[in-house]
Amino acid sequence: MTPKTLTCHVESVEDLTTDVFRVHLAGRREAIAHAPGQYLELKLDEEIWVPFSIANAHVDDGIIELHVQHWPERSNSARLREILVQAAQLTVRLPNGGCVLDTHSRRPLTLIAAGTGFAQMKAIVEAALANDHPGPIRLWWAVKSPRDLYLESLALEWAATHAHLDVHTVVEDSEPALSAPAGVTRHIGRIDEVLAEYHGDVSGDDVYLSGSPGMVYACIDTLAPLGLDPERVFSDVFAYAPRVPLIPLPDDPAESVPLAPGERRAEDDA
């Protein structure tokens, strides 16, 4: 689908935590069609477009959901918050991105998100469930502290109602473990280290990752010895911060990738 520039109405702005808010935009149904995992760009002014994952699978209802991390100390973030709260309409450009769910694949899904990278995985999970994906579906959500699991209730609902979907929450701060409902496993530590300890063979999986380049490539290096197929791993990071080779040879470590300012999505800072 070729990206289009259009005007959307701001339907609602809802605080999920003190740092994350959810935005619903409404537009023409045919104009906002997108594949699960794609993102849009929101116009702040003539020079600045800010990318955000579309947090819902397209169901032809004319609604787009965004999860926005608010950083009060960053001028663009504060300005974006003000615009979203006050504006009745916004200019967006969509769809963008090639990290999309392969709806024809019936391979197991391993979905790995950091922070508000959960938004991209939410759209992928919704589409997979709507497409009767047989599973297993394993969602790994990494955050700094428990309060950053801003839509944990939804993830717990998925785990409770879909036996083939497992949720793993990974909290970096060492805090007392929270209770874990059925279908949910809680971990403390860094996501790549937790994956190394708890994840099994991924040779038959489709793997999707959403986070910073450092996080994504650390996870890839962890999963590579577990059978990761470079043809079946997907992330937007590959487009704006490519690494060659994607999976380094044992005696030939991959070249580090410099980060380009302004080329990260909001969730990539998690």
Side-chain angles (χ1 to χ4, degrees), residues 219-239:
C219 291
I220 286 176
D221 291 345
T222 294
L223 296 176
L226 302 178
L228 183 67
D229 182 350
E231 298 298 320
R232 303 305 303 176
V233 57
F234 310 93
S235 176
D236 286 325
V237 165
F238 303 157

Side-chain angles (χ1 to χ4, degrees), residues 100-184:
V100 301
L101 176 68
D102 180 355
T103 55
H104 298 291
S105 173
R106 311 313 271 174
R107 293 160 60 100
L109 294 175
T110 292
L111 313 176
I112 305 171
T116 49
F118 174 78
Q120 185 176 38
M121 298 308 157
K122 175 179 176 293
I124 289 175
V125 168
E126 289 178 351
L129 295 177
N131 195 44
D132 294 324
H133 191 284
I137 301 172
R138 306 178 189 93
L139 171 65
W140 294 77
W141 188 4
V143 295
K144 290 185 172 64
S145 65
R147 72 185 184 93
D148 297 324
L149 296 166
Y150 59 88
L151 270 182
E152 185 181 32
S153 59
L154 176 61
L156 300 185
E157 180 182 332
W158 288 337
T161 56
H162 301 281
H164 63 304
L165 191 154
D166 295 320
V167 174
H168 296 260
T169 62
V170 184
V171 178
E172 191 168 333
D173 292 344
S174 181
E175 296 189 10
L178 300 174
S179 60
V184 178

Side-chain angles (χ1 to χ4, degrees), residues 39-267:
Y39 66 93
L40 61 71
E41 295 174 293
L42 191 152
K43 185 177 181 180
L44 288 190
D45 59 33
E46 292 302 323
E47 302 295 329
I48 300 176
W49 293 78
V50 183
F52 290 100
S53 289
I54 301 173
N56 59 307
H58 179 67
V59 292
D60 202 30
D61 61 358
I63 298 296
I64 287 179
E65 178 180 338
L66 307 178
H67 300 167
V68 183
Q69 178 83 46
H70 179 46
W71 304 93
E73 70 278 8
R74 300 182 185 180
S75 59
N76 272 359
S77 180
R79 184 178 172 201
L80 177 61
R81 168 78 182 190
E82 181 180 354
I83 290 174
L84 287 170
V85 170
Q86 296 181 3
Q89 296 181 328
L90 294 170
T91 300
V92 300
R93 187 163 55 201
L94 81 158
N96 297 282
C99 177
V100 301
L101 176 68
D102 180 355
T103 55
H104 298 291
S105 173
R106 311 313 271 174
R107 293 160 60 100
L109 294 175
T110 292
L111 313 176
I112 305 171
T116 49
F118 174 78
Q120 185 176 38
M121 298 308 157
K122 175 179 176 293
I124 289 175
V125 168
E126 289 178 351
L129 295 177
N131 195 44
D132 294 324
H133 191 284
I137 301 172
R138 306 178 189 93
L139 171 65
W140 294 77
W141 188 4
V143 295
K144 290 185 172 64
S145 65
R147 72 185 184 93
D148 297 324
L149 296 166
Y150 59 88
L151 270 182
E152 185 181 32
S153 59
L154 176 61
L156 300 185
E157 180 182 332
W158 288 337
T161 56
H162 301 281
H164 63 304
L165 191 154
D166 295 320
V167 174
H168 296 260
T169 62
V170 184
V171 178
E172 191 168 333
D173 292 344
S174 181
E175 296 189 10
L178 300 174
S179 60
V184 178
T185 306
R186 302 196 186 280
H187 310 269
I188 294 176
R190 210 175 67 184
I191 179 62
D192 57 318
E193 296 173 348
V194 171
L195 286 171
E197 184 174 359
Y198 292 99
H199 208 298
D201 179 72
V202 295
S203 58
D205 292 14
D206 287 346
V207 179
Y208 295 81
L209 303 104
S210 183
S212 69
M215 169 267 187
V216 166
Y217 289 122
C219 291
I220 286 176
D221 291 345
T222 294
L223 296 176
L226 302 178
L228 183 67
D229 182 350
E231 298 298 320
R232 303 305 303 176
V233 57
F234 310 93
S235 176
D236 286 325
V237 165
F238 303 157
Y240 69 83
R243 187 180 77 170
V244 180
L246 175 62
I247 298 179
L249 300 174
D251 297 321
D252 184 20
E255 181 180 349
S256 61
V257 179
L259 303 185
E263 291 191 330
R264 294 186 298 244
R265 214 172 309 166
E267 58 262 29

